[in-house]
Amino acid sequence: MDSGAVAAGKGVEAAAGKRVVRPYGDTTGDGMVQVSFTLPVSHDKRAEGAAVQLANRMGIDPAMVVHAKPMGDGFTFFVVYGRVNHLVDLSAVQVVERDFPLLGAKEVNAVVKRRLRRKLSVVGACIGTDAHTVGIDAILNVKGIAGEKGLEYYRELKVTNLGAQVSVPELVEAARVERADAVLVSQVVTQRDAHLHNTREMSAAFREAMPAGRRPLLIVGGPRFDETMTAELGVDRIFGRGTTPGEVASYLVHALITGGRARV
């Protein structure tokens, strides 16, 4: 059997020098997917037909409603299962690769103490109406997440956690008072793109309040951010789901000290 056939058997195909993959459902490479969505219609046969029609227009054909549940008056939640013929070219996928080394807590502390000669100041918050502090607490609080301690554990970092529902002016003022080297913002609420609006408002406020040379590093994180949108949102770095405190600490050292941005 040739290598192309072997690759195809694993759900990966070589086409014109590209490495493409297709979804896996019941059997390898069968293109089966499962999607869920809510339609503003009461649950009946017509509603299920509408769900199938929508799935067809999404490229799922054949499509089958495997679950439908009323979600109050005039709304129905659907789960649809079916086949797509789309392929994904892995070589064309654009992601933000980690471009800095991962350091342990001792290494971070040593670099900050030796090179900065003062504590590195970090201010964190959830801004706007966002009250979900789980993300920012996981990064900042000493208890951390999954056995990895947060930034409060690093003795050469001074951490100020403002908590939830902090207004942008309050965040800017806190960053000024604490002489923040970096501002970390967590956004979980994404209805009507609230996380994007809040981030743009924050970056604009810092640009207006502080000159470029005195502005802190602006970092945002949350499960719905696109990590490639830093320039569009006016921030220095975006961290997605699964980010650990060690990654953030290592990035701070890389961006602020190795890159020479930190203030003495």
Side-chain angles (χ1 to χ4, degrees):
M1 184 180 293
D2 62 30
S3 58
V6 172
K10 294 182 179 178
V12 180
E13 298 180 2
K18 298 179 181 179
R19 184 167 181 260
V20 296
V21 295
R22 66 176 71 237
Y24 166 87
D26 298 318
T27 58
T28 303
D30 60 8
M32 302 300 286
V33 298
Q34 179 173 290
V35 297
S36 62
F37 50 83
T38 300
L39 291 180
V41 292
S42 298
H43 181 217
D44 56 19
K45 287 292 185 180
R46 185 176 297 274
E48 293 195 8
V52 169
Q53 185 179 117
L54 175 62
N56 289 158
R57 294 187 177 184
M58 294 167 62
I60 304 173
D61 190 13
M64 174 174 45
V65 174
V66 295
H67 177 74
K69 181 178 181 181
M71 301 289 288
D73 292 339
F75 292 89
T76 306
F77 174 76
F78 295 96
V79 177
V80 175
Y81 187 67
R83 178 181 293 107
V84 296
N85 295 314
H86 308 300
L87 300 175
V88 176
D89 178 6
L90 293 180
S91 63
V93 176
Q94 296 183 350
V95 296
V96 177
E97 300 282 1
R98 178 167 54 82
D99 55 357
F100 53 90
L102 284 178
L103 306 176
K106 289 183 179 179
E107 294 173 293
V108 169
N109 288 328
V111 172
V112 173
K113 186 174 184 177
R114 184 177 69 253
R115 299 280 298 275
L116 197 57
R117 297 181 181 178
R118 63 169 175 79
K119 291 194 174 184
L120 191 154
S121 177
V122 178
V123 172
C126 296
I127 59 176
T129 59
D130 202 320
H132 299 76
T133 61
V134 174
I136 196 69
D137 288 345
I139 299 299
L140 298 184
N141 287 2
V142 67
K143 64 182 179 182
I145 185 173
E148 185 174 322
K149 295 185 182 299
L151 301 190
E152 289 179 346
Y153 173 74
Y154 294 70
R155 67 173 181 272
E156 297 300 328
L157 269 57
K158 177 189 176 187
V159 176
T160 304
N161 188 347
L162 301 178
Q165 297 182 318
V166 177
S167 71
V168 168
E170 289 173 332
L171 179 63
V172 172
E173 181 58 23
R176 193 196 310 275
V177 170
E178 299 296 335
R179 299 193 73 245
D181 296 292
V183 170
L184 274 60
V185 166
S186 172
Q187 292 282 266
V188 175
V189 174
T190 59
Q191 283 84 349
R192 298 184 180 181
D193 289 336
H195 60 311
L196 304 181
H197 299 312
N198 289 341
T199 301
R200 290 190 180 101
E201 180 186 352
M202 175 195 69
S203 61
F206 273 99
R207 285 197 303 272
E208 182 178 346
M210 302 178 183
R214 305 295 295 175
R215 196 158 54 236
L217 202 68
L218 299 180
I219 302 169
V220 296
R224 298 293 181 86
F225 278 106
D226 179 346
E227 295 182 0
T228 66
M229 291 180 65
T230 51
E232 182 180 339
L233 296 180
V235 297
D236 297 285
R237 189 81 180 197
I238 297 173
F239 284 108
R241 61 184 182 278
T243 300
T244 65
E247 287 180 86
V248 176
S250 298
Y251 172 71
L252 293 178
V253 167
H254 169 77
L256 290 169
I257 300 177
T258 306
R261 275 199 52 172
R263 299 191 299 267
V264 223

